[in-house]
Amino acid sequence: MKIQWHKIQDRLKKELDANRYEHTKGVMYTTSCIAMAYGIDMEKARIAGLLHDCAKCISNQKTINLCKKAKLPISEFEKKYPSLLHAKLGAYLAEKKYAVHDKEVLNSIFWHTTGKEAMSDLEKIIYIADYIEPNRNKAPHLQQIRKLAFEDLDRCMYEILKDTVSYLCKHSKLIDKTTLKAYNYYKTYTRKNKSKKDNRCIEGLKNKESS
Ligand code: DGI
Ligand code: FE
Ligand code: FE
């Protein structure tokens, strides 16, 4: 991938407000670090982090108009909460305006707000980095979640989705189907894997006893 880092950064600086631009850089560095920890393609993680919120500072009305023009489907839920659309429109603009054509990168931008079931490692990394980058300071359990990001991507997804769902409930916001499906998936997935791990420990102990 030939990426014109400076050109993209200069353009984003104009498109985003100062706080969002700082957040964007925070996400870019955090995605790079998590990718390093797991041996995932760092360049893909870095460019996805840099561009994930490229559509965030576009007004709701303009976002809807641009989505219609680009023939991106808008769900009933997104009509009610157009801010969710910045992820989908962001993936579209990353390709058309910032000339990033890598499908894995575009998918991780597309899913960065709701998450989804069975995400790729790159998708998980962008989702997680968005939540834990150093400028974030309001979410509960940040210290544990930041540590978990470098230990277990799936459990980290579960903890973030759990806190997000409970935050949305507490503030009487409706929960998107995709967010809920992602939450249920990682809840079941981490439980299954935990019991697999426990079984392996038990097997290990049995083997020790019998030898
Ligand atoms: O764009 P960022 O602020 O960096 O973060 P983001 O893309 O994760 O967007 C966060 C917002 O998305 C946050 O205000 C909660 C909202 N969100 C995510 N899932 C849902 C949701 N809002 C509603 N109403 N329902 C959801 O399921
Ligand atoms: Fe976002
Ligand atoms: Fe973000």
Side-chain angles (χ1 to χ4, degrees):
M1 244 191 311
K2 182 86 192 77
I3 295 167
Q4 295 185 297
W5 295 99
H6 286 294
K7 205 172 148 195
I8 295 180
Q9 270 176 279
D10 288 347
R11 193 155 186 184
L12 277 174
K13 213 174 188 170
K14 286 187 205 126
E15 295 288 335
L16 303 175
D17 64 45
N19 283 343
R20 187 56 51 180
Y21 185 67
E22 283 308 305
H23 161 70
T24 287
K25 281 196 295 180
V27 174
M28 173 177 74
Y29 291 126
T30 308
T31 52
S32 309
C33 293
I34 306 176
M36 282 181 214
Y38 292 97
I40 307 282
D41 190 315
M42 206 179 69
E43 195 173 63
K44 289 190 189 196
R46 190 173 161 210
I47 191 66
L50 179 62
L51 284 171
H52 82 286
D53 271 343
C54 69
K56 184 79 179 186
C57 292
I58 302 174
S59 71
N60 282 346
Q61 193 52 55
K62 195 164 175 206
T63 297
I64 290 173
N65 292 345
L66 287 172
C67 284
K68 281 186 184 157
K69 217 165 137 191
K71 301 202 164 40
L72 297 173
I74 305 174
S75 68
E76 282 306 311
F77 195 88
E78 288 162 340
K79 265 185 210 155
K80 214 184 238 160
Y81 292 94
S83 65
L84 288 180
L85 283 168
H86 79 275
K88 294 177 180 179
L89 183 61
Y92 176 83
L93 294 178
E95 178 159 35
K96 302 289 177 212
K97 200 165 141 181
Y98 297 92
V100 171
H101 304 290
D102 185 281
K103 278 279 165 272
E104 287 181 309
V105 170
L106 299 176
N107 282 343
S108 61
I109 299 175
F110 191 96
W111 295 111
H112 89 263
T113 300
T114 56
K116 68 173 177 112
E117 297 162 290
M119 292 161 85
S120 71
D121 283 344
L122 191 69
E123 287 164 355
K124 288 180 235 176
I125 289 176
I126 313 310
Y127 183 91
I128 291 169
D130 192 21
Y131 197 83
I132 66 165
E133 66 96 0
N135 297 294
R136 297 279 205 206
N137 54 21
K138 291 197 188 73
H141 315 123
L142 265 181
Q143 201 183 346
Q144 299 94 306
I145 289 174
R146 283 184 168 130
K147 191 160 178 282
L148 202 49
F150 293 87
E151 295 167 352
D152 187 330
L153 291 176
D154 295 307
R155 272 191 54 215
C156 192
M157 283 302 302
Y158 169 55
E159 295 299 332
I160 296 176
L161 283 159
K162 188 169 61 173
D163 285 348
T164 300
V165 166
S166 86
Y167 171 89
L168 292 168
C169 285
K170 214 162 79 194
H171 291 80
S172 313
K173 295 221 169 109
L174 294 176
I175 299 169
D176 186 81
K177 259 198 278 192
T178 324
T179 307
L180 204 55
K181 273 197 207 159
Y183 167 64
N184 285 325
Y185 176 87
Y186 282 99
K187 184 170 157 184
T188 313
Y189 186 87
T190 47
R191 289 213 175 133
K192 261 194 207 145
N193 266 21
K194 188 177 176 297
S195 61
K196 258 194 221 151
K197 243 189 231 165
D198 291 347
N199 282 344
R200 250 182 271 137
C201 286
I202 293 165
E203 286 305 316
L205 282 176
K206 274 190 197 156
N207 288 342
K208 251 190 206 160
E209 273 170 15
S210 60
S211 61

